[in-house]
Amino acid sequence: MTALEVNIDALVGPTHNYAGLSFGNVASQKHALTVSNPKQAALQGLRKMKFLHDLGIPQIVMPPHPRPAMGVLKQLGFSNIKNVPQTLLYQGYSASAMWAANAATISPSADTKDGKVHITPANLVSKFHRSLEALTTAHYLKQMFPGPHFVHHDPLPAHLTFADEGAANHMRLSKHHANKGTEIFVYGGATKKYPARQSMQACEAIARLHGLDLKRAVFLEQHPDAIDAGVFHNDVIAMSNERLLIYHEKAFKRLDRRLQDHFTLIKITERQLTLRAAVATYFFNSQLVTLPDGKMAVIAPKECEEHARARSCFEFLMAEGHVNTVYYLDVRESMKNGGGPACLRLRMVLTETERQAVHSCIWLDEELYDVLYRWIEKNYRDRMTPSDLYDPLLVRESYQALAALAEITKMNLGAA
Ligand code: SUG
């Protein structure tokens, strides 16, 4: 059984900033127009990747997208950023491709009819700044996962009917990673305050495209109270790994019996951790992983360590024997835009043969870590406000950084 979990994390791009672009994402709105530190953000993300690598979990690096998105601004009739209206400039400059959990939905070969790994890049149509990612993500993923073992689908049609936010709304339960799994697709319905971002039709289309056993796939509706409390993705309110699903009592409208029958389901109640506290701490946006010795570990945001109830929920999970260790990591720059440890990674299960087929320059090891650390130190600013996005020098800086990264990763990093 050689299939293992592999994580793909996106490097945070040099234009990381807080423009308050995501209505329904409480952190993004709270930190709108505050000062960001792109260098710190990228280093925090890179250190998290190294941490996973050192734990023995193979780690892949995905490059940031070219920003500002010049192709789109040109398509809209702008040839100079100084003429671009503020909101559009913020959108065109967003470094939001950093949240790799939204890059795609991936089904491992153990689950698919043709025995191949199926990849569908997310269309991210709910937010304009995020919709700019879809084609470039597809272009990158094809280079990262070439050859006959991988099937690359197009993003779903770009309409809200098929709104798709990728793996952030997708979970997989199985005895071990290598076994055939039960893929769970989570979608949103009617809400009162904030919009749902994932449609049921999108989930069904992906399950069909990936050739899953449709009798086995599970479709769950998010609880509207959760979405209205700021749970814009399922990975803000549930986490899973192998047999284990940990979820908040307000995560879903109802569960599916098949899950209770075959897997270990742990409910965190409102008394243990309120919905509000779950959103504030990103307790559920932790990475739940199996270590090489078979034990389970959690990589949680530092904010959970500082929150008595979130911490005691982890202590409860350890005392009950579901989890062996909890590591608290600082990804605060990303957290302030609503992205915790799990948002920053796209997980895959790959066999040894499939791992051999991955583009070789993007596996994180000591050497690539050092190279990327220096690349960030050299190319990133340590302070940025959204008004800095009008600085003409930033365009050059950002594109120069990407050109240097293209050399390092031996990838074509132009926009698709
Ligand atoms: O889509 N934030 C992202 C955060 C995505 C988190 N991902 C997961 N839960 N998997 C979003 O709302 C904020 C950008 C800004 O405000 O500038 C932003 O896009």
Side-chain angles (χ1 to χ4, degrees), residues 53-246:
H53 165 271
D54 291 349
L55 285 178
I57 299 179
Q59 180 70 51
I60 290 173
V61 183
M62 180 147 86
H65 292 194
R67 290 290 179 269
M70 292 308 270
V72 174
L73 297 177
K74 284 201 179 116
Q75 189 185 356
L76 296 171
F78 297 104
S79 49
N80 189 327
I81 57 150
K82 79 173 192 306
N83 301 322
V84 179
Q86 193 179 69
T87 306
L88 189 55
L89 189 77
Y90 291 173
Q91 290 163 327
Y93 248 123
S94 175
S96 57
M98 64 198 271
W99 297 295
N102 303 118
T105 305
I106 302 183
S107 298
S109 49
D111 299 355
T112 62
K113 223 178 285 164
D114 59 6
K116 296 185 179 201
V117 179
H118 283 250
I119 303 175
T120 300
N123 61 24
L124 290 163
V125 287
S126 296
K127 305 277 175 218
F128 180 67
H129 69 288
R130 301 227 56 187
S131 72
L132 306 179
E133 297 167 38
L135 295 181
T136 304
T137 296
H139 173 55
Y140 284 8
L141 289 172
K142 283 180 189 156
Q143 297 176 66
M144 296 164 70
F145 303 102
H149 301 293
F150 303 101
V151 179
H152 293 269
H153 300 277
D154 289 335
L156 297 179
H159 187 272
L160 285 176
T161 312
F162 299 104
D164 173 26
E165 306 254 327
N169 296 315
H170 178 246
M171 300 183 287
R172 178 176 186 267
L173 295 176
S174 59
K175 189 162 178 237
H176 297 291
H177 288 311
N179 299 108
K180 189 174 166 114
T182 295
E183 297 200 18
I184 305 172
F185 294 84
V186 184
Y187 61 90
T191 52
K192 292 203 183 82
K193 192 172 171 196
Y194 296 138
R197 294 214 212 165
Q198 179 85 28
S199 83
M200 187 173 74
Q201 284 96 321
C203 295
E204 290 173 342
I206 293 169
R208 272 192 305 273
L209 285 165
H210 288 197
L212 301 183
D213 175 353
L214 295 179
K215 289 192 293 296
R216 210 177 162 113
V218 169
F219 299 88
L220 300 178
E221 182 173 346
Q222 272 191 290
H223 200 297
D225 292 355
I227 298 177
D228 284 339
V231 179
F232 55 98
H233 289 137
N234 175 65
D235 65 7
V236 177
I237 206 66
M239 55 179 149
S240 65
N241 186 50
E242 296 193 317
R243 288 177 158 285
L244 182 62
L245 169 64
I246 304 171

Side-chain angles (χ1 to χ4, degrees), residues 43 91 100 159 215 218 255 260 263 280 322 353:
L43 292 176
Q91 290 163 327
H159 187 272
K215 289 192 293 296
V218 169
L255 271 172
Q260 271 120 327
F263 301 106
H322 300 301
T353 315

Side-chain angles (χ1 to χ4, degrees), residues 7-13 49 59-65 97-104 133 136-142 144-145 344-346 362-364 368 372 375 380 402 405 409 411 413:
N7 281 291
I8 311 167
D9 277 50
L11 278 165
V12 177
M49 296 187 220
Q59 180 70 51
I60 290 173
V61 183
M62 180 147 86
H65 292 194
M98 64 198 271
W99 297 295
N102 303 118
E133 297 167 38
T136 304
T137 296
H139 173 55
Y140 284 8
L141 289 172
K142 283 180 189 156
M144 296 164 70
F145 303 102
L344 289 161
R345 67 93 164 88
L346 176 59
I362 53 174
W363 286 109
L364 191 81
L368 183 58
L372 291 174
W375 171 78
Y380 281 55
L402 214 62
L405 188 64
T409 57
M411 282 176 62
L413 303 184

Side-chain angles (χ1 to χ4, degrees), residues 242-253:
E242 296 193 317
R243 288 177 158 285
L244 182 62
L245 169 64
I246 304 171
Y247 66 102
H248 190 273
E249 67 169 303
K250 279 293 181 83
F252 312 111
K253 250 184 156 170

